[in-house]
Amino acid sequence: MTDQEHKEDATRLAIEFLMLWMNDDRQAAAAHISEVFYGDTAPDPMHVVAGLLNLNMLTIFELAKTQGAEDHRAWAQEYLQQRSLRLPKARD
């Protein structure tokens, strides 16, 4: 399997997880995700993280495109930075 095929598989898995998570039955989604992680053919957790990050990049670049940004990466970085600043601080 090529590096590109691994990347595509990881992103497809992230899409599968997100689609399940978007349904009303989060408990069933969590159970399925857990089954994937601990099943006989469990993927490497780094593979899953990479897929989630790939999916997020695709999504935010599409958002940048809809906002008319010419430099999608710069727009995305600014967008994420602003969201990060708005998150509540963790309590000690």
Side-chain angles (χ1 to χ4, degrees), residues 60 74-87:
I60 200 162
W75 186 94
Q77 289 173 335
E78 177 66 24
Y79 178 87
L80 292 171
Q81 183 178 29
Q82 290 302 314
R83 295 308 166 282
S84 178
L85 291 173
R86 292 181 190 148
L87 289 174

Side-chain angles (χ1 to χ4, degrees), residues 4 7 9-10 22 24 27 31 36 44 49 51-53 55 69 71 76 80 89:
Q4 182 64 28
K7 182 178 177 182
D9 281 350
M22 288 172 46
D24 290 334
Q27 188 172 359
V36 169
D44 179 344
V49 170
L52 291 167
L53 294 170
L55 178 57
D71 184 344
L80 292 171
K89 301 257 189 236

Side-chain angles (χ1 to χ4, degrees), residues 39-73:
D40 293 337
T41 58
D44 179 344
M46 291 305 299
H47 180 80
V48 176
V49 170
L52 291 167
L53 294 170
N54 290 339
L55 178 57
N56 278 287
M57 280 182 31
L58 289 171
T59 303
I60 200 162
F61 287 167
E62 284 295 320
L63 181 57
K65 188 175 170 182
T66 66
Q67 296 298 309
E70 289 187 28
D71 184 344
H72 296 162
R73 187 173 304 276

